[in-house]
Amino acid sequence: MDAKYLALFSALCLGLSQCAPVSDPTPSQISNTSYGPIPGESQLYSTYHGTAAPFPGNTTGAVLNTTSGPPGPDDLLFQNLLSAEWIIFSFYQQGVEAFNTTAFTDAGFPNTTYERIQQIRDNEAGHLRIFQDQISSNSIKPGRCQYEYPFQDDPVRFLALQTIIEVSSMAFLTGLELQAKLDVSRAALVAIAATESRHNTWALIDNWAAPPFAGPSDTVFPYANEILDFTNVWVVNGSCPAENPVFPTPRQNLPPIDVGANTTGIVPGSTLAFNFSDPVRQPSFTAGKDYYAVFFHGLYNISVPFDVQSRTVVIPPQIEPLGIIIAVLADQEGAPTRESVLAGPLILPESPAELAQIFA
Ligand SMILES: *[C@@H]1O[C@H](CO)[C@@H](O)[C@H](O)[C@H]1NC(C)=O
Ligand SMILES: *[C@@H]1O[C@H](CO)[C@@H](O)[C@H](O)[C@H]1NC(C)=O
Ligand SMILES: *[C@@H]1O[C@H](CO)[C@@H](O)[C@H](O)[C@H]1NC(C)=O
Ligand SMILES: *[C@@H]1O[C@H](CO)[C@@H](O)[C@H](O)[C@H]1NC(C)=O
Ligand SMILES: *[C@@H]1O[C@H](CO)[C@@H](O)[C@H](O)[C@H]1NC(C)=O
Ligand SMILES: *[C@@H]1O[C@H](CO)[C@@H](O)[C@H](O)[C@H]1NC(C)=O
Ligand SMILES: *[C@@H]1O[C@H](CO)[C@@H](O)[C@H](O)[C@H]1NC(C)=O
Ligand SMILES: *[C@@H]1O[C@H](CO)[C@@H](O)[C@H](O)[C@H]1NC(C)=O
Ligand SMILES: *[C@@H]1O[C@H](CO)[C@@H](O)[C@H](O)[C@H]1NC(C)=O
């Protein structure tokens, strides 16, 4: 490059930090909880309004362990959660890149929507960093994969999916509480769940003018990894860093359930047809054996006998149509063990009703 242009380029770059090629932090740096912006201290994780992904969302690759020895008691839990967080963070990051303020106002949403999406994106970057910090240096910290979400540059679909993701996150965060070995991990999970709850409360009030509450309790689903596994649908096959552990670990890889034809609705009292939509992953039924559709809502579950011929059930009418209902196919009433779950989960968003219609 000509010296004159080099000087000009350098001068321009003084104001633009992106100009200089920045390399990824080393594993030792990432393992140092004092390295980089610190969640709860830096505004990067709250009010950064740039389009470029904030730290550590802009780093690539898995972060290798810098020490050897037994994993920390909750390393596996936070490895699973960090992989899930990459999916959630990237959803918001893609939204920040795809839309702007007018994209949302043109679609009839408040003029603060884009800013809020940026801020939630920032919070999620903070979660990436918090979960990295929770994984000991004896274990690998999973890195970013490539993701594809079904919002197709449509701001309405994006915001509907946003609400469903945030409301559903409560179910796996409460489930992960049951796996946590350390009290400090449980406290961290409650603090994260409360943050996701603020995200969905904002969305319900501002974007959907819907009741902000899910009744007296969000839905607890004990087999958190089954919900995490469901989010693999957004991960591009073969795109994850080779060093990433299998997500989630352990992975049952259950047949997914979709809402099938002949469904009259997804609210309590409606007829719901189960479609085992993956041609490869199908449940196998044994003649003469009993099967159940188990519906989780709030802290409880209700089982309904499942007819393997029609594959239709009536959603228990006594369930309050708020928050989410989670349905699974099980070979025991109440799906009392992880192994008794044969397919699913299917997440049914109840409120507002239009969320489900947008994805029907
Ligand atoms: C951790 O990072 C901080 C801030 O960059 C630095 O001052 C400190 O020396 C680092 N600690 C180690 C052990 O590298
Ligand atoms: C990542 O973003 C942070 C600010 O959020 C920036 O300081 C850092 O240089 C970026 N790193 C890379 C590798 O782009
Ligand atoms: C990382 O963990 C593996 C497996 O436990 C071990 O073999 C390796 O030595 C560790 N790496 C470092 C840098 O300690
Ligand atoms: C928002 O994006 C649209 C489409 O890319 C563009 O036409 C419009 O000028 C942008 N609005 C603002 C305020 O940047
Ligand atoms: C945003 O909308 C509010 C109320 O809907 C309005 O009072 C305010 O002026 C708007 N702000 C901008 C910057 O358009
Ligand atoms: C990803 O791989 C799974 C199984 O390996 C396959 O069923 C699925 O169709 C693939 N998805 C895409 C988008 O290629
Ligand atoms: C089940 O899902 C598959 C894949 O999406 C679809 O092709 C099929 O039409 C669905 N069947 C029913 C009965 O809903
Ligand atoms: C829908 O219900 C009708 C009447 O019960 C039945 O004949 C049909 O096979 C069902 N369709 C599917 C896809 O299950
Ligand atoms: C579902 O409810 C039944 C009855 O209260 C209970 O025995 C069972 O453990 C519950 N299932 C799960 C997975 O919590």
Side-chain angles (χ1 to χ4, degrees):
M1 198 188 284
D2 188 290
K4 191 172 62 181
Y5 290 109
L6 188 61
L8 180 63
F9 183 73
S10 311
L12 283 172
C13 281
L14 285 176
L16 296 171
S17 54
Q18 293 95 325
C19 277
V22 185
S23 52
D24 272 343
T26 63
S28 307
Q29 286 172 321
I30 291 283
S31 292
N32 176 352
T33 55
S34 301
Y35 174 83
I38 295 175
E41 295 182 15
S42 170
Q43 292 184 355
L44 180 76
Y45 304 122
S46 309
T47 54
Y48 160 68
H49 287 149
T51 306
F55 176 83
N58 59 356
T59 60
T60 53
V63 180
L64 296 180
N65 56 314
T66 54
T67 53
S68 66
D74 287 328
D75 278 2
L76 180 60
L77 184 162
F78 283 108
Q79 285 176 314
N80 284 331
L81 193 49
L82 178 54
S83 287
E85 185 59 56
W86 276 115
I87 299 175
I88 296 174
F89 165 80
S90 301
F91 169 76
Y92 283 103
Q93 181 57 33
Q94 287 190 16
V96 167
E97 290 171 17
F99 305 117
N100 58 21
T101 302
T102 46
F104 291 119
T105 53
D106 286 353
F109 294 98
N111 57 19
T112 47
T113 307
Y114 184 66
E115 188 186 0
R116 291 274 181 261
I117 292 299
Q118 287 177 310
Q119 292 169 346
I120 298 176
R121 181 273 313 264
D122 301 346
N123 284 182
E124 303 298 350
H127 293 173
L128 289 173
R129 188 61 182 139
I130 289 168
F131 300 152
Q132 287 180 336
D133 288 346
Q134 297 286 326
I135 299 169
S136 83
S137 59
N138 283 351
S139 297
I140 290 173
K141 304 182 210 313
R144 182 181 51 186
C145 314
Q146 285 166 31
Y147 309 98
E148 282 174 10
Y149 309 92
F151 63 82
Q152 294 134 355
D153 284 349
D154 175 347
V156 182
R157 287 175 69 92
F158 177 81
L159 292 178
L161 194 52
Q162 184 265 335
T163 310
I164 293 170
I165 288 173
E166 293 289 354
V167 176
S168 306
S169 69
M170 230 44 56
F172 69 76
L173 287 164
T174 50
L176 288 174
E177 295 264 344
L178 299 169
Q179 295 179 11
K181 307 271 195 307
L182 304 176
D183 287 346
V184 287
S185 304
R186 292 196 186 91
L189 290 168
V190 172
I192 299 298
T195 301
E196 307 300 357
S197 200
R198 288 169 193 255
H199 297 163
N200 71 53
T201 306
W202 159 73
L204 290 167
I205 295 175
D206 265 19
N207 293 340
W208 307 107
F213 307 130
S217 168
D218 277 289
T219 294
V220 173
F221 183 71
Y223 313 123
N225 287 25
E226 293 177 359
I227 299 193
L228 296 180
D229 199 352
F230 165 82
T231 64
N232 268 314
V233 68
W234 296 321
V235 180
V236 175
N237 277 349
S239 71
C240 292
E243 300 85 358
N244 273 17
V246 169
F247 171 70
T249 301
R251 182 180 187 196
Q252 285 172 281
N253 203 17
L254 291 173
I257 305 173
D258 277 346
V259 173
N262 279 356
T263 293
T264 63
I266 62 164
V267 291
S270 310
T271 297
L272 174 67
F274 279 19
N275 181 12
F276 304 108
S277 51
D278 184 327
V280 180
R281 291 176 292 169
Q282 287 284 313
S284 62
F285 296 106
T286 305
K289 196 171 151 115
D290 291 334
Y291 297 93
Y292 302 88
V294 187
F295 294 89
F296 292 83
H297 185 252
L299 301 186
Y300 305 114
N301 72 79
I302 300 174
S303 296
V304 177
F306 184 77
D307 175 12
V308 301
Q309 298 308 321
S310 73
R311 301 185 172 189
T312 61
V313 285
V314 173
I315 302 173
Q318 63 269 46
I319 294 177
E320 188 179 23
L322 288 175
I324 54 167
I325 299 172
I326 297 179
V328 298
L329 172 73
D331 62 4
Q332 287 181 60
E333 210 169 339
T337 64
R338 197 182 62 166
E339 290 68 32
S340 69
V341 179
L342 304 182
L346 170 65
I347 295 173
L348 303 171
E350 294 298 307
S351 172
E354 63 208 273
L355 288 182
Q357 281 152 18
I358 289 165
F359 278 92

